[in-house]
Each structure stands twice: as C-alpha cells, then as structure tokens.
Amino acid sequence: LEVYPYFNYVFNDYFLVGDATAPGWNNNSNNPALFRDAADSNSFSYTGYWADNGHFKVLATKGLWQPQWGTDDGSTVGSNPGGGTDPERFPYGGGNGIPQGYYTFKINFASNTFTFLPFDASGKTSPASLTIKGSSTADVAMTPLTFDGHIWYAQGVKLLPGNLEFVTDSGAKWGNTTSFSGVATDAGGAVPVIVEDDYDVWFNDLTGDYILIPLNL
C-alpha cells in the first residue's frame, strides 16, 4: 500500500506581461511574478523598472492568455476569466504608455482596485550576488533580470521541508518567518518551507519582497 500525502495550496499566483515589462507581450518567457501580501492573500504588488511608453496586463498562468486582468478606465480592474472580452491594459487603459522609470503597482483582487505610483530608486544598489541557503536546499545562485537587476529569480528549485534565507555576497542574510511569501529584512529570520516541491523563487532587493511558487501543488 502506497499513500501519497496531499497538501492544499490555497494561494493564487500572478504574472506580468506587456511591453512595459521584461518579457514584452510573450506570455511564457520567465514572466515576473507579483509578490503576494503575507497578511492578505488578495493583495499583490510589484516594485521595479518599467519600460518607456509601455503597458502591461496580469496573467494567472504563464503560457495562457486567460484568465487575464487589465483596466478599461484607469482606476478599476477588469478581467477576462475566459471566453469574454479582454480588458484594456494597465495602467491607463487604452491611453498612452507610462514614462520609463521605477513604479510600484498594487492590485487587490477582492476589491478589484489598483494603484500605479512612482518609486524613488535613487541610491538603491543591488548586491553583487544573491544565494538561497538553508536546510531546505543546497546553495542555489539566483539570477537578476537583465531588464531590471533589482529583481532576482531561480527556477525549478527543489525545496525540502526546512527553511531558507537570501544571502548576499557581503554576508547579509535576508529572510522572514512567513512561508510562501513575505517581506524579508536583513537578519529577519529564516523563511519556513513547509512542503516539498519544485519552486520558482523571486526576490526584490528594492523592497525585500519574496515569493516561493510551487510548481506541482
């Protein structure tokens, strides 16, 4: 008799697509993940660089165009769960694209609201390297996006129950005590990994946001 344990992963994950973002309008090209608020699973954010005169949408599944989210009026969120009419693009619907620069995008899927505001990244420097370390895995080097070096990722990382931290080349250990997502700080604790799986891991060195997305749950 073989018994396979079942883990109920209750969270949704979301990804960026559009000519203001790293993958352009390719819906399956290492699309950056939105970072989920550990205290509110309906609230997500993304702080980083956005390309000049660009727009973007939010996808639920890489490689699929539905479900997708955008805006028709520049203030509320529109969606196409499949088979309907696609909403316009963030942040201004069908209007002109944004000037290039750093912004924070926040979206709440319960209230169907969003904000898109400038972020002051002046003087913010990235570490020379960032490594996932801990009892959950052998050391895994993360890679910064060429498009925005403040956004780091590691794909398909096998994680075992245990913990991990994000360790810089200078020895700073960034973490927190919330599993799956949260805001890491230097010496903030180890991120608990509560279930074995392969994960895509994202980290933002501007904000400390991290998210661990299981690929098989």
Side-chain angles (χ1 to χ4, degrees):
L1 176 66
E2 292 183 338
V3 177
Y4 292 91
Y6 174 78
F7 182 87
N8 184 24
Y9 181 71
V10 298
F11 302 113
N12 296 317
D13 298 300
Y14 300 96
F15 307 89
L16 292 171
V17 67
D19 53 8
T21 71
W25 288 108
N26 188 333
N27 68 2
N28 194 16
S29 181
N30 194 32
N31 301 64
L34 298 183
F35 295 94
R36 184 175 53 249
D37 187 331
D40 181 358
S41 61
N42 290 306
S43 181
F44 289 75
S45 66
Y46 184 93
T47 297
Y49 177 79
W50 307 77
D52 192 37
N53 198 33
H55 296 85
F56 62 96
K57 290 187 177 183
V58 172
L59 302 177
T61 305
K62 287 185 290 186
L64 298 178
W65 284 109
Q66 278 83 32
Q68 67 165 257
W69 289 263
T71 184
D72 290 321
D73 59 13
S75 61
T76 57
V77 175
S79 66
N80 180 359
T85 300
D86 290 344
E88 290 286 352
R89 303 157 291 175
F90 291 115
Y92 305 131
N96 294 328
I98 55 173
Q100 68 182 16
Y102 287 86
Y103 298 86
T104 295
F105 171 63
K106 293 184 178 181
I107 183 170
N108 189 296
F109 290 96
S111 62
N112 285 326
T113 57
F114 78 96
T115 58
F116 189 79
L117 299 172
F119 177 85
D120 185 4
S122 58
K124 304 283 189 179
T125 58
S126 296
S129 66
L130 193 65
T131 304
I132 300 171
K133 294 177 177 280
S135 62
S136 289
T137 180
D139 292 0
V140 176
M142 301 192 76
T143 303
L145 286 178
T146 304
F147 182 85
D148 180 356
H150 294 292
I151 307 297
W152 300 74
Y153 67 91
Q155 296 178 315
V157 179
K158 181 73 168 183
L159 296 179
L160 303 176
N163 58 64
L164 60 82
E165 293 175 302
F166 302 95
V167 182
T168 70
D169 57 291
S170 64
K173 297 180 179 180
W174 288 68
N176 202 335
T177 57
T178 54
S179 58
F180 295 113
S181 67
V183 179
T185 58
D186 188 7
V191 178
V193 178
I194 60 177
V195 60
E196 177 181 343
D197 200 25
D198 298 326
Y199 291 80
D200 284 349
V201 182
W202 292 86
F203 181 85
N204 186 332
D205 70 45
L206 289 172
T207 62
D209 285 316
Y210 63 86
I211 188 164
L212 283 59
I213 300 175
L215 304 181
N216 304 298
L217 297 181

